[in-house]
């Protein structure tokens, strides 16, 4: 089961990522733009997710994903770390969120980042 240290290690391994405390919790940013946070006493992550995909995720796996009330109008979703299958799933989620926040210069420099395994 991935934990907060796995989140920190994987997030900080992504290009141009920094960690900053905001709202009394760790947040991770690419080129200054936030793509992940560690809320709920670091037992979950909040990541960027297009609203259409987010709603499908929550309906498909409500034990794993949910939408925080104060984030409902934004394209963010929460994931329970204890419900994630493994570190690979955590890496995929973080890389996908990173891609949504990263500037085009980084996306062009790291085209392989976040692509599903084997593809």
């Amino acid at each position: 089961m991935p934990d907060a240290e796995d989140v920190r290690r994987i997030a900080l391994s992504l290009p141009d990522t920094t960690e900053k405390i905001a709202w009394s919790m760790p947040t991770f940013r690419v080129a200054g733009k936030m793509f992940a946070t560690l809320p709920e006493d670091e037992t979950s992550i909040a990541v960027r997710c297009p609203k259409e995909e987010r709603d499908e995720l929550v309906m498909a796996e409500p034990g794993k994903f949910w939408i925080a009330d104060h984030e409902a109008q934004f394209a963010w979703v929460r994931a329970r770390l204890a419900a994630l299958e493994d570190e690979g799933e955590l890496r995929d989620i973080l890389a996908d969120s990173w891609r949504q926040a990263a500037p085009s210069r980084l996306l062009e420099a790291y085209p392989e980042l976040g692509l599903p395994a084997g593809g």
Side-chain angles (χ1 to χ4, degrees):
M1 168 183 89
D3 63 17
E5 286 311 308
D6 295 321
V7 172
R8 185 169 280 111
R9 178 176 45 77
I10 292 168
L12 291 173
S13 75
L14 296 168
D16 205 11
T17 294
T18 57
E19 181 177 351
K20 178 182 178 185
I21 299 295
W23 308 286
S24 303
M25 68 180 140
T27 67
F28 300 92
R29 299 159 190 259
V30 55
K33 197 169 179 184
M34 192 163 49
F35 71 91
T37 67
L38 270 167
E40 281 87 42
D41 298 324
E42 301 187 359
T43 60
S44 69
I45 55 173
V47 292
R48 291 174 174 266
C49 184
K51 286 184 182 178
E52 323 73 65
E53 292 177 29
R54 174 187 77 174
D55 296 343
E56 288 177 22
L57 274 175
V58 171
M59 284 193 298
E61 298 185 80
K64 186 181 293 188
F65 298 103
W66 86 100
I67 301 165
D69 290 341
H70 67 281
E71 294 169 347
Q73 72 271 31
F74 303 108
W76 285 77
V77 69
R78 302 278 178 106
R80 292 171 181 83
L81 292 176
L84 298 182
E85 292 170 26
D86 55 25
E87 200 174 290
E89 184 178 25
L90 174 61
R91 175 175 285 284
D92 289 347
I93 290 169
L94 287 169
D96 187 55
S97 187
W98 179 90
R99 267 199 323 277
Q100 292 175 59
S104 56
R105 67 177 170 79
L106 286 174
L107 296 175
E108 290 164 11
Y110 301 93
E112 76 287 355
L113 250 181
L115 297 178

